[in-house]
Amino acid sequence: MNKIIEICNVSAAYGESEVLNQVSLTIEKGEFIVIIGPSGCGKTTLLKTINGLVVPTKGEVLVKGEQLKECNLVFMRRNIGYAVQGAKLFPHMSVEDNICYVPELENKMTGDEKSRLVRRMLEMVELPFELAVRFPRQLSGGQKQRVGIARAMAADPDILLMDEPFGAVDEITRKTLQEGLAGLWQKTGITIVFITHDIGEAFRLGSRIIIMKDGVIWQEGTKDELLRSPRDKFVEQLISR
Ligand SMILES: Nc1ncnc2c1ncn2[C@@H]1O[C@H](COP(=O)(O)OP(=O)(O)OP(=O)(O)O)[C@@H](O)[C@H]1O
Ligand SMILES: [Mg+2]
């Protein structure tokens, strides 16, 4: 077994109010983890402890065996792609520059290298290369979403954190994006931690599903395990939607 993310007894708070209560979760390399639970239960906060955007008040997080609080976060984050709902692209940069942003930080690329990378990334998310010169305001919601994923993947990260990345797109685009992501995961062996509100999406994508409630992990398991033995009414309701 090859642990890539270890969340050990992590609590987190905003000011006085605690939103994570002693959460522990170990993720093996190559897992596709899906986190689901009611709004406000702490999903985004938990995800952000993995790339250091939220610092735990108690407990610790290790990524690839390194304690986040002791490592250089700027370097560590280049290994961790982060894609959020609405994609949050840099508005003043073209699609090409958005996609090349992180790889360029690592080493200067020639024009040729950039366009090769951009071509490969756009192909992966099934967008035409012609979009490379456009700015985010000239893209549809679904296209922005795809560019956001392409950007998160461009630095060839070992870990991809995704916070409701398909939340804002229509059903058909969502299906296509889900299939694309599942294919990518199988091809690359990347470790994915993915938040959703949609149990169908969770079952379709996750190799393991984490159900959160009120700042704790309420139950976890594969789709079959959860369907076979839900812990209580709460889980039953969540998975029967
Ligand atoms: N920056 C912040 N300052 C203060 N409170 C916050 C902040 N961010 C989140 N919270 C609160 O912490 C709790 C957990 O928030 P979090 O964003 O982790 O929930 P979530 O499970 O991702 O919810 P959603 O499904 O709505 O995205 C919520 O009660 C929220 O209001
Ligand atoms: Mg959230």
Side-chain angles (χ1 to χ4, degrees), residues 13-15 17-20 35-48 54 85 163-164 195-197 212 215:
Y14 298 103
S17 61
E18 185 165 85
V19 295
L20 292 180
I35 304 175
I36 190 164
S39 182
C41 71
K43 303 180 295 295
T44 296
T45 306
L46 181 62
L47 197 74
K48 284 181 172 174
V54 166
Q85 181 170 13
D163 195 345
E164 304 195 43
I195 298 177
T196 184
H197 269 110
M212 287 185 70

Side-chain angles (χ1 to χ4, degrees), residues 81-84 86-90 95 98-99 122 124-125 127 139 141-154 160-162 165-166 177:
Y82 186 44
V84 297
K88 304 240 169 68
L89 300 172
F90 303 122
V95 165
N98 264 284
I99 290 177
L122 289 179
M124 183 186 77
V125 294
L127 284 177
L139 301 173
Q143 289 170 336
K144 268 189 251 187
Q145 215 71 45
R146 290 175 202 225
V147 173
I149 294 165
R151 185 181 61 180
M153 291 298 294
L160 187 54
L161 306 179
M162 307 183 89
F166 308 151
L177 289 171

Side-chain angles (χ1 to χ4, degrees), residues 25-153:
L25 175 64
T26 300
I27 299 174
E28 305 287 337
K29 194 171 181 304
E31 281 195 280
F32 195 137
I33 297 288
V34 177
I35 304 175
I36 190 164
S39 182
C41 71
K43 303 180 295 295
T44 296
T45 306
L46 181 62
L47 197 74
K48 284 181 172 174
T49 63
I50 300 173
N51 62 4
L53 285 176
V54 166
V55 179
T57 47
K58 280 186 230 137
E60 50 201 34
V61 178
L62 287 82
V63 174
K64 295 182 169 178
E66 263 195 84
Q67 293 247 13
L68 276 196
K69 60 185 172 204
E70 280 162 16
C71 78
N72 181 330
L73 269 185
V74 174
F75 284 106
M76 180 61 91
R77 282 196 194 125
R78 291 187 192 164
N79 242 311
I80 307 179
Y82 186 44
V84 297
Q85 181 170 13
K88 304 240 169 68
L89 300 172
F90 303 122
H92 56 289
M93 286 186 197
S94 67
V95 165
E96 164 158 315
D97 289 336
N98 264 284
I99 290 177
C100 294
Y101 182 74
V102 175
E104 280 251 275
L105 292 175
E106 308 227 300
N107 47 39
K108 201 88 197 100
M109 292 192 285
T110 66
D112 262 6
E113 285 169 332
K114 279 179 80 167
S115 59
R116 264 201 304 276
L117 176 67
V118 171
R119 195 177 284 279
R120 192 157 57 81
M121 289 298 125
L122 289 179
E123 226 163 70
M124 183 186 77
V125 294
E126 297 180 31
L127 284 177
F129 183 63
E130 290 75 62
L131 292 192
V133 294
R134 292 215 201 149
F135 286 84
R137 65 174 183 278
Q138 301 167 315
L139 301 173
S140 74
Q143 289 170 336
K144 268 189 251 187
Q145 215 71 45
R146 290 175 202 225
V147 173
I149 294 165
R151 185 181 61 180
M153 291 298 294

Side-chain angles (χ1 to χ4, degrees), residues 188-234:
T188 57
I190 192 172
T191 306
I192 299 180
V193 188
F194 183 107
I195 298 177
T196 184
H197 269 110
D198 175 351
I199 191 67
E201 183 166 78
F203 282 164
R204 216 166 297 134
L205 293 174
S207 60
R208 180 155 58 116
I209 295 144
I210 309 294
I211 297 176
M212 287 185 70
K213 185 185 179 214
D214 300 336
V216 302
I217 293 178
W218 196 251
Q219 187 171 9
E220 60 175 286
T222 62
K223 173 184 175 181
D224 290 343
E225 286 165 352
L226 294 174
L227 286 172
R228 205 178 319 124
S229 30
R231 170 173 165 182
D232 58 7
K233 275 264 172 308
F234 168 74

